[in-house]
Amino acid sequence: MNERLRTRGPMWALYERVAMHVGLGSLALLCLSWLPFALVLQPLLPRALGQRLGRQTISFGFRLYLRLLEVLCACRFDLSEIEGLRDEGPLIVAANHPSLLDAVILISCLPNAICVMKASLMDNLLFGSAARLARYIRNDGILQIIAKSCESLREGGHLVLFPEGSRTTRFPVDPLPPTLGMVARRAGVPVQTV
């Protein structure tokens, strides 16, 4: 038997399993509730208005999700340092990426966040419409990433970039490709690692 299960007991293991399903289910429900609106609004709204509405809605939804995790799943989050970045000017927020919550936490604190996302997630039914409305950036071409990132930073946003390109496999951070430095140099903005 797993050492952790033996010391905490079967009820704790059951609670952890239920909490995980409640947590993931809550995220799916939040995404699904915004999906029809994002799908309809993206082609109808002017770019700037759709972008602002999309980003702020995602940020609000993720804040709500973190609150649900605190209430229903006994999670605790200290976001004070990240929330301090909200009032900074254009900035690249470069983070390691060991879990799904990394992006959720960062975006919940940065209502004008621009994310570079996997192209497969941009095409995903659950996340794609909202990401396209918010004008997030697909990661399917380095020149496109650099050009669109620089454009979004000039508009005053915070670029949330997971420069490792995927999930962190070697803590604290995997080797970084040169994209991060190229965007920072061309846009003339600082980089904040988290």
Side-chain angles (χ1 to χ4, degrees):
M1 179 180 263
N2 183 322
E3 180 65 32
R4 191 166 152 223
L5 291 178
R6 195 174 21 234
T7 59
R8 294 214 173 165
M11 291 306 289
W12 183 258
L14 177 64
Y15 165 76
E16 286 180 330
R17 183 169 293 273
V18 169
M20 182 186 74
H21 290 298
V22 166
L24 291 174
S26 298
L27 179 60
L29 284 175
L30 282 170
C31 292
L32 283 171
S33 67
W34 179 235
L35 173 75
F37 299 102
L39 193 61
V40 169
L41 292 174
Q42 195 225 344
L44 296 177
L45 292 178
R47 181 186 184 279
L49 178 60
Q51 176 179 295
R52 185 170 58 250
L53 177 65
R55 290 178 187 173
Q56 289 177 352
T57 301
I58 292 170
S59 181
F60 173 78
F62 283 171
R63 277 194 308 277
L64 179 61
Y65 175 63
L66 293 178
R67 183 71 183 126
L68 284 170
L69 290 180
E70 289 175 336
V71 171
L72 300 176
C73 302
C75 294
R76 291 184 305 241
F77 302 99
D78 178 3
L79 307 177
S80 56
E81 294 294 323
I82 298 169
E83 287 173 345
L85 299 175
R86 179 182 312 190
D87 298 325
E88 297 289 324
L91 178 71
I92 297 172
V93 180
N96 63 350
H97 196 18
S99 76
L100 168 69
L101 281 180
D102 312 315
V104 171
I105 288 170
L106 289 171
I107 295 168
S108 76
C109 295
L110 302 171
N112 193 20
I114 309 128
C115 293
V116 175
M117 289 180 63
K118 284 183 181 179
S120 61
L121 285 177
M122 294 285 283
D123 297 332
N124 180 289
L125 175 66
L126 199 57
F127 302 115
S129 294
R132 288 188 300 274
L133 178 64
R135 303 304 194 264
Y136 287 174
I137 301 165
R138 296 173 70 92
N139 77 340
D140 55 1
I142 193 160
L143 294 178
Q144 174 180 307
I145 292 171
I146 293 169
K148 289 189 176 201
S149 295
C150 290
E151 176 185 334
S152 295
L153 287 164
R154 282 191 290 274
E155 294 171 353
H158 295 98
L159 178 66
V160 175
L161 185 63
F162 297 100
E164 298 166 299
S166 187
R167 295 286 165 94
T168 302
T169 58
R170 289 179 284 178
F171 191 78
V173 70
D174 292 339
L176 305 178
T179 310
L180 172 68
M182 292 165 60
V183 171
R185 183 166 184 247
R186 288 192 178 174
V189 299
V191 176
Q192 175 63 56
T193 56
V194 293

